Amino acid sequence: MSKSSPPSFPQSPSQTLWWLFLTRGSIALGGSVLVLLVGGMWWVRGFIHRDLVPLAQKELTSTLNRPVQLGAVKEFSLTGVQFAASGIPPTPTDSDRIAVQAVDVSFNPWDLVVNRQIKLDVTLINPDIYIEQDNQQRWITTTIAPPGEPGIIKTDLSKISIRNGRLVLVPNQRLEKPGSETSSSVPVTFATLYGRVQLLDNNQKFKFDLTGKNQSGGDISIGGDVETKPTPVGNINVKTKDLYIADISRLIPAEVKVKAGKINSDLKLQLTPEDPVLLYGNASLEGVNWQLGKIPQPFNNTQGNIKFQGSAIEIDNLVGDYGKIPLVAKGSIDQKRGFNLSAVVNAVSSSQALETLKIKLPVPVAGVLKADLKFLGDISQPVLSGQVSNLKNAQIDRLEFEKVSGKFELTTRTPQIAFKEILVVSSLGGELTGSGKINLGQIPEVSMNLSAKNLDGDALSQVYSQWNNADFQ
């Protein structure tokens, strides 16, 4: 078995000198580096414990342009610190506020030691956020300030994250309470919020993603990037699942007011300086009740798919009820061009149609009708027109008619229904033709111009004679 040779050492005096120099120099250098590292870490520890609270509070206050109150230090390490209950209180001019159970602030200690710079990643734990819309329909008036002049230590707010947050949005809309003359602003609440906002380009650009649940029902996720100067520009992606759409509609100024229903959607909002918000994507409606501008009656129980293409909404076989009139609609609604919709009413009773249109006739009417409708015109003043005919014999007063048809036009600018090409064919022979109008209001005014042709006077008088005899008996 071979024996290992003993370690060799420098033999000559010059080699010995160099070996001692290098060995002791390495030890000295390593010791110096170790001392510097230990000293740097000790300084970082003291900085976190002593100086980080006022520095972080100052940076957040400066960046958010709002007073920020950080709580006492609960925990700290070389990579971050956790503050106790903190918040952003309301001001005399801004009622928005945030209360946070705890705040985590993390950073890279190497940047602090080497570059004397801190990029703060702030996490809000269980935040409770309250935001009111102001009279100018603005949700947030706080402007994010660009980074200020660096001091001895340069600090930047890099990212804000939310962990299990709650958000209360109060729209600047007052809803009337049923059975009461008073109205109030109804808040919209989201819970279980998780997400983050990353600040870029001197705080003039934001990348964000956020998920949460609507308290009234459904899930929502939002993400995108937005540049704020000189006007907001960017893209925002929105996805919803079984989301209660009435809450969302109250947050967006629009001619459409939604009262019930759910929406599943995959949408993209495009913010441009020249145009209003452009919307792209698809949505599926389920049991949606909505009211459009000055249209007298709401649309109820709407079901189907819609497609958003910029400033236009495309509809294909959307099923719903206008008042008590069931219909199937298709066409488009464009913010600039207005309405271009058509609808089919397969069957509706005359009583339901008259009730929906708020028409009171001087004589009773019974029957089942079908109609082809068109909804055209400006967003604020659309016109409803169509052609109506009966599916089976109809009865007007005490007379039965084989055919009842005509065209009508209902304008929202002047509450009036105009009729033309009226054709009424009696079961007893003969017909009526003509036109007319009904002025809608508390006391409707009916005006008809009818011409009779080949009516059997004897048969008509006999019908009324039989009715009169029956009433007399």
Side-chain angles (χ1 to χ4, degrees), residues 336-351:
K336 299 177 181 178
R337 299 182 179 89
F339 291 94
N340 184 17
L341 296 174
S342 62
V344 175
V345 179
N346 293 316
V348 62
S349 70
S350 57
S351 60

Side-chain angles (χ1 to χ4, degrees), residues 57-71:
Q57 186 165 287
K58 179 181 177 182
E59 174 63 24
L60 290 172
T61 298
S62 174
T63 301
L64 299 177
N65 278 313
R66 286 286 297 269
V68 176
Q69 298 175 348
L70 287 178

Side-chain angles (χ1 to χ4, degrees), residues 100-319:
V100 188
Q101 181 175 315
V103 178
D104 278 346
V105 178
S106 61
F107 56 88
N108 185 344
W110 187 252
D111 287 339
L112 180 59
V113 173
V114 176
N115 302 319
R116 286 188 170 270
Q117 178 183 10
I118 305 179
K119 291 185 177 181
L120 302 176
D121 289 348
V122 178
T123 300
L124 309 180
I125 301 174
N126 299 329
D128 198 332
I129 307 169
Y130 178 92
I131 300 176
E132 284 188 10
Q133 189 179 33
D134 66 11
N135 292 329
Q136 300 180 39
Q137 308 301 320
R138 297 176 302 180
W139 281 104
I140 298 178
T141 56
T142 299
T143 56
I144 304 298
E149 292 296 326
I152 298 176
I153 296 176
K154 186 178 185 298
T155 56
D156 292 322
L157 180 59
S158 175
K159 183 172 65 179
I160 301 177
S161 300
I162 294 177
R163 187 187 305 168
N164 192 34
R166 178 176 178 267
L167 173 63
V168 178
L169 299 175
V170 182
N172 187 27
Q173 298 182 26
R174 304 190 70 82
L175 300 181
E176 295 182 358
K177 297 179 179 179
S180 173
E181 296 182 355
T182 62
S183 61
S184 62
S185 296
V186 179
V188 179
T189 303
F190 296 90
T192 323
L193 291 176
Y194 289 84
R196 62 180 178 177
V197 179
Q198 187 175 1
L199 286 68
L200 304 168
D201 296 345
N202 291 327
N203 299 344
Q204 302 305 309
K205 182 177 180 179
F206 306 92
K207 294 184 68 174
F208 59 91
D209 59 83
L210 185 69
T211 63
K213 295 181 177 295
N214 181 14
Q215 184 170 276
S216 300
D219 302 330
I220 185 170
S221 64
I222 302 175
D225 55 89
V226 175
E227 295 183 20
T228 59
K229 299 293 184 180
T231 57
V233 176
N235 298 298
I236 302 174
N237 300 310
V238 180
K239 292 185 179 182
T240 64
K241 181 180 179 181
D242 295 332
L243 185 66
Y244 186 68
I245 192 174
D247 280 357
I248 306 304
S249 72
R250 296 206 307 273
L251 304 178
I252 305 172
E255 290 287 332
V256 178
K257 305 300 179 184
V258 182
K259 298 182 179 180
K262 296 179 181 180
I263 182 172
N264 294 283
S265 65
D266 187 355
L267 305 174
K268 177 181 179 180
L269 285 74
Q270 190 175 82
L271 307 179
T272 64
E274 298 85 10
D275 297 310
V277 176
L278 300 177
L279 191 58
Y280 299 89
N282 301 288
S284 173
L285 305 180
E286 181 181 338
V288 176
N289 298 345
W290 54 287
Q291 182 97 31
L292 180 61
K294 297 181 180 179
I295 302 302
Q297 293 290 337
F299 294 85
N300 297 320
N301 197 31
T302 306
Q303 317 273 350
N305 300 319
I306 57 179
K307 179 182 291 186
F308 296 90
Q309 293 194 335
S311 63
I313 302 174
E314 292 189 359
I315 296 171
D316 186 18
N317 293 330
L318 198 65
V319 179

Side-chain angles (χ1 to χ4, degrees), residues 375-393:
F375 202 55
L376 307 172
D378 188 79
I379 290 290
S380 60
Q381 294 182 341
V383 176
L384 175 64
S385 62
Q387 183 168 349
V388 181
S389 61
N390 62 313
L391 286 172
K392 57 183 180 180
N393 285 5

